[in-house]
Amino acid sequence: MLLTDTHTHLYYETDNEKRAALMQRCKQNDIGRLFLPNVDVSSAAQVFELATEYPAICYPMLGLHPCSVKADWENVLETIWNTQQDRKIYAIGEIGIDLYWDKTTLPEQVLAFKAQIKKAKELKLPIVIHCREAFNEVFDVLEEEGGEDLRGILHCFTGSYEQALNAIDLGFYLGIGGVVTYKNGGLDKFLNEIDLQHIVLETDSPYLSPVPYRGKPNESSYLIYIAEKVAELYQLNVETVATITTENSKKVFGI
Ligand SMILES: [Zn+2]
């Protein structure tokens, strides 16, 4: 079985021994592919460091998180692109709009989001979207900028059935994480009405731990609990869920 964590910030663990243990637990739980989004300049360096250390498992992405967008976003973005040097990236992410933490930066968030979509199109890369309390704003941008040449993942999807269909219509996969295991998460009510071919799995570690670790720090090895819950909802075995969602991740990331 091969599971793919399409969104993990595992690089936040900087202690070498603990990091090796995290990787070992991934291996034990059949999580063999980790896609790493940065959020700002310093985390870009951490992404590349981890990907250099574990090149067979870790796949870097690059972007500016909406919560890190400030007045100087253009300069910051330039610095982030420069961290890439000659290293390969597999997506632009994580990018998007977040109106939960700060509504005042919405105009800048939209501009930074659009600039990064442009970059993704130039590089023919998918985008990984962070969307919090900003569905309408994100969809407005996607409807304006989207099309055949834009694909990606709506990461940490926690929206409604209608919003799920909307995202799929625009050519996006839904990133399903720990929330699917929560009693009042809402996703479990309708997820099995969405064809599994539109779904990828993620932990978003160290955030949003699935049950039975809810409230504790998350790690990529816990992806197994998310896969098991998805298998239960679709009445499939976990191996089938792993095969289909890993296949989906290969389609979106091209690897
Ligand atoms: Zn994230």
Side-chain angles (χ1 to χ4, degrees):
M1 182 164 84
L2 175 62
L3 283 160
T4 302
D5 189 348
T6 59
H7 195 111
T8 173
H9 303 269
L10 207 70
Y11 52 83
Y12 283 142
E13 181 53 71
T14 51
D15 181 281
N16 275 340
E17 235 164 84
K18 285 184 186 160
R19 219 145 102 156
L22 284 170
M23 288 299 184
Q24 186 55 32
R25 289 197 291 275
C26 281
K27 202 173 167 190
Q28 280 161 5
N29 286 355
D30 299 311
I31 291 99
R33 289 156 47 87
L34 308 177
F35 287 84
L36 312 172
N38 77 310
V39 295
D40 55 13
V41 174
S42 61
S43 54
Q46 292 177 297
V47 163
F48 286 125
E49 198 191 308
L50 189 63
T52 304
E53 203 179 335
Y54 297 92
I57 308 163
C58 292
Y59 303 90
M61 332 179 186
L62 213 46
L64 177 62
H65 191 288
C67 292
S68 307
V69 170
K70 304 284 176 307
D72 62 346
W73 67 269
E74 279 175 288
N75 290 334
V76 173
L77 203 50
E78 206 46 48
T79 309
I80 288 176
W81 299 145
N82 287 336
T83 62
Q84 187 189 347
Q85 295 169 353
D86 55 358
R87 289 172 289 214
K88 195 160 168 46
I89 55 170
Y90 295 87
I92 301 297
E94 56 183 294
I95 65 175
I97 303 176
D98 188 312
L99 297 179
Y100 175 80
W101 292 107
D102 191 354
K103 286 185 181 64
T104 64
T105 57
L106 176 62
E108 288 83 6
Q109 289 191 43
V110 170
L111 290 173
F113 188 26
K114 286 183 176 175
Q116 295 183 87
I117 289 175
K118 192 167 165 240
K119 183 82 170 179
K121 287 179 178 175
E122 275 168 28
L123 300 176
K124 296 188 167 41
L125 287 174
I127 59 173
V128 171
I129 301 177
H130 170 105
C131 170
R132 190 158 184 200
E133 294 190 3
F135 261 107
N136 294 338
E137 289 79 0
V138 164
F139 279 114
D140 282 350
V141 171
L142 292 180
E143 267 156 30
E144 213 174 299
E145 308 283 329
E148 295 284 287
D149 54 345
L150 191 68
R151 64 187 199 286
I153 297 172
L154 206 55
H155 132 71
C156 189
F157 181 79
T158 53
S160 66
Y161 178 67
E162 287 70 28
Q163 286 166 334
L165 295 185
N166 210 335
I168 292 164
D169 263 357
L170 287 164
F172 282 78
Y173 288 85
L174 309 177
I176 300 299
V179 173
V180 77
T181 67
Y182 299 171
K183 257 206 174 83
N184 298 315
L187 271 178
D188 53 339
K189 306 285 184 297
F190 65 83
L191 193 65
N192 64 1
E193 292 169 44
I194 307 278
D195 196 309
L196 204 52
Q197 69 169 340
H198 302 298
I199 284 167
V200 292
L201 304 182
E202 62 168 62
T203 58
D204 199 18
S205 76
Y207 317 108
L208 292 168
S209 279
V211 172
Y213 295 102
R214 190 175 181 178
K216 304 212 173 71
N218 199 1
E219 57 179 73
S220 284
S221 72
Y222 296 167
L223 193 71
I224 189 71
Y225 300 103
I226 295 160
E228 281 169 355
K229 182 66 189 186
V230 168
E232 180 197 317
L233 292 173
Y234 283 86
Q235 295 186 307
L236 294 167
N237 59 45
V238 71
E239 287 80 7
T240 305
V241 169
T243 304
I244 296 173
T245 55
T246 287
E247 204 46 51
N248 294 344
S249 76
K250 288 180 180 173
K251 280 183 197 147
V252 66
F253 289 116
I255 190 159

